[in-house]
């Protein structure tokens, strides 16, 4: 699988998301099985957050990598209302307990809140000095937020990115490329399945003997600085995701996607879900 350097480590460009995991106890074993299968397939970056099922997703992740912690590049996020000096410390320690590990590889501020960025960054740096996290970054930050942050130590910015939500191409994506900051794309295959039923993506998928999800992932990965973190519990979908980086879209494919989902021609407000 293609890799990229993130926070000084080589990670796969297709990882595993966990939003909505941990919400249904009856699904827990299937979710654990899917994450472990994903590790077997080389999708060793796992992204989660204290927000997801109010810690439930972190518990699923912790169960999934039990006995395999060294294989995993672990990403989690702190709520904005926990992003004070004391709040970050306490939130991280709760996440570590739920995950069953001593260290989070990459810890993100989930989105901006009421606390000054400088206070949150100082708390992140304290966690790093304590060995509780190795790197830190942000999520749902627009270009003005990153400019205000002005922190070379910020390892990534995780934002919504797929053919239906491509406003970041106007300024944010180029800015991050210029600053050698990898962009982590959440919901890269959309939500609710509407993107995956798109006729244009289906036409391109048929041409490549692929699925529409693989086409959407290949489209995101056409940018060398992008990491995609699709979520899958269905094992067939998981295996398809893992093979998406072998799909190579040509200029005609990209032109068709541009026609169906026009690229931005002006600044757009950052989209979030």
């Amino acid at each position: 699988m293609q890799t990229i350097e993130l926070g000084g480590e080589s990670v796969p460009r297709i990882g595993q998301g966990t939003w909505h995991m941990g919400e249904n106890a009856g699904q827990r074993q299937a979710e654990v099985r899917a994450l472990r299968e994903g590790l077997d397939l080389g999708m060793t970056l796992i992204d989660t957050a204290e927000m997801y099922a109010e810690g439930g997703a972190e518990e699923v992740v912790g169960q999934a990598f039990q006995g395999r912690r060294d294989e995993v590049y672990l990403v989690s996020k702190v709520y904005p209302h926990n992003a004070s000096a004391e709040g970050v410390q306490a939130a991280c320690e709760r996440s570590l307990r739920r995950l069953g590990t001593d260290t989070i590889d990459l810890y993100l501020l989930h989105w901006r809140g009421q606390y000054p960025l400088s206070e949150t960054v100082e708390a992140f740096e304290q966690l790093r000095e304590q060995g509780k996290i190795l790197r830190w970054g942000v999520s749902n930050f627009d270009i003005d937020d990153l400019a205000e942050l002005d922190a070379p130590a910020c390892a990534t910015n995780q934002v919504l990115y797929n053919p239906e939500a491509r406003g970041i191409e106007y300024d944010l994506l180029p800015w991050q490329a210029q600053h050698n900051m990898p962009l982590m794309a959440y919901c890269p295959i959309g939500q609710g399945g509407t993107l995956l039923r798109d006729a244009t993506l289906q036409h391109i998928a048929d041409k490549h003997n692929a699925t529409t999800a693989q086409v959407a992932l290949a489209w995101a990965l056409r940018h060398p600085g992008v990491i995609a973190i699709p979520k899958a519990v269905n094992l067939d979908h998981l295996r398809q995701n893992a093979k998406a980086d072998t799909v190579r879209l040509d200029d005609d494919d990209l032109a068709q996607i541009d026609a169906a989902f026009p690229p931005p021609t002006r600044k757009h407000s950052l989209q979030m879900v």
Side-chain angles (χ1 to χ4, degrees):
M1 185 176 290
Q2 299 175 50
T3 60
I4 188 173
E5 184 174 308
L6 176 64
E9 294 194 38
S10 178
V11 302
R13 293 190 65 203
I14 302 177
Q16 301 187 76
T18 62
W19 190 22
H20 296 309
M21 287 190 181
E23 295 178 355
N24 182 342
Q27 283 290 306
R28 186 177 185 119
Q29 290 309 310
E31 292 165 353
V32 169
R33 182 173 67 246
L35 290 171
R36 293 183 71 87
E37 175 76 7
L39 295 181
D40 293 340
L41 294 168
M43 294 187 291
T44 53
L45 185 154
I46 299 179
D47 174 82
T48 190
E50 67 170 339
M51 185 189 83
Y52 301 163
E54 293 299 322
E58 290 180 323
E59 293 175 352
V60 171
V61 171
Q63 184 176 343
F65 67 56
Q66 193 169 20
R68 305 180 66 173
R69 176 65 183 93
D70 291 346
E71 300 176 44
V72 178
Y73 189 90
L74 178 61
V75 184
S76 194
K77 311 180 201 69
V78 60
Y79 265 127
H81 63 251
N82 287 333
S84 65
E86 296 81 9
V88 166
Q89 184 82 32
C92 183
E93 290 173 357
R94 288 192 298 268
S95 289
L96 289 170
R97 285 196 297 271
R98 288 189 291 262
L99 290 159
T101 188
D102 295 327
T103 305
I104 295 170
D105 296 286
L106 180 60
Y107 199 42
L108 309 181
L109 174 60
H110 210 148
W111 65 90
R112 287 197 71 169
Q114 69 195 75
Y115 296 105
L117 293 177
S118 58
E119 181 175 351
T120 304
V121 168
E122 184 177 353
F124 282 164
E125 287 294 337
Q126 288 178 352
L127 289 174
R128 189 180 58 78
E129 291 168 4
Q130 294 163 1
K132 294 175 181 177
I133 67 172
L134 298 184
R135 297 287 188 277
W136 60 267
V138 295
S139 180
N140 296 303
F141 268 42
D142 206 345
I143 190 168
D144 291 342
D145 301 312
L146 290 175
E148 180 182 341
L149 182 68
D150 190 26
C154 180
T156 192
N157 180 28
Q158 183 182 123
V159 295
L160 176 68
Y161 186 49
N162 61 56
E164 292 178 314
R166 55 188 300 187
I168 64 168
E169 292 177 1
Y170 185 77
D171 55 0
L172 180 61
L173 186 56
W175 188 96
Q176 292 195 213
Q178 181 183 357
H179 290 79
N180 296 312
M181 181 188 293
L183 184 140
M184 200 175 294
Y186 71 78
C187 295
I189 57 177
Q191 285 189 290
T194 56
L195 178 64
L196 302 186
R197 295 191 295 272
D198 178 76
T200 298
L201 294 193
Q202 186 61 64
H203 175 74
I204 296 169
D206 292 343
K207 168 184 168 181
H208 290 276
N209 192 28
T211 67
T212 52
Q214 289 175 318
V215 170
L217 288 170
W219 178 87
L221 296 178
R222 79 196 189 284
H223 292 289
V226 170
I227 302 163
I229 47 170
K231 174 229 175 184
V233 176
N234 178 288
L235 295 183
D236 286 338
H237 294 165
L238 187 80
R239 293 170 187 134
Q240 291 164 10
N241 290 347
K243 293 180 180 178
D245 77 336
T246 65
V247 178
R248 297 291 183 267
L249 303 181
D250 59 33
D251 290 343
D252 182 60
D253 300 327
L254 296 176
Q256 290 184 56
I257 294 173
D258 284 349
F261 305 96
T265 58
R266 59 177 177 80
K267 171 69 178 176
H268 290 257
S269 297
L270 187 70
Q271 291 180 256
M272 295 172 54
V273 293

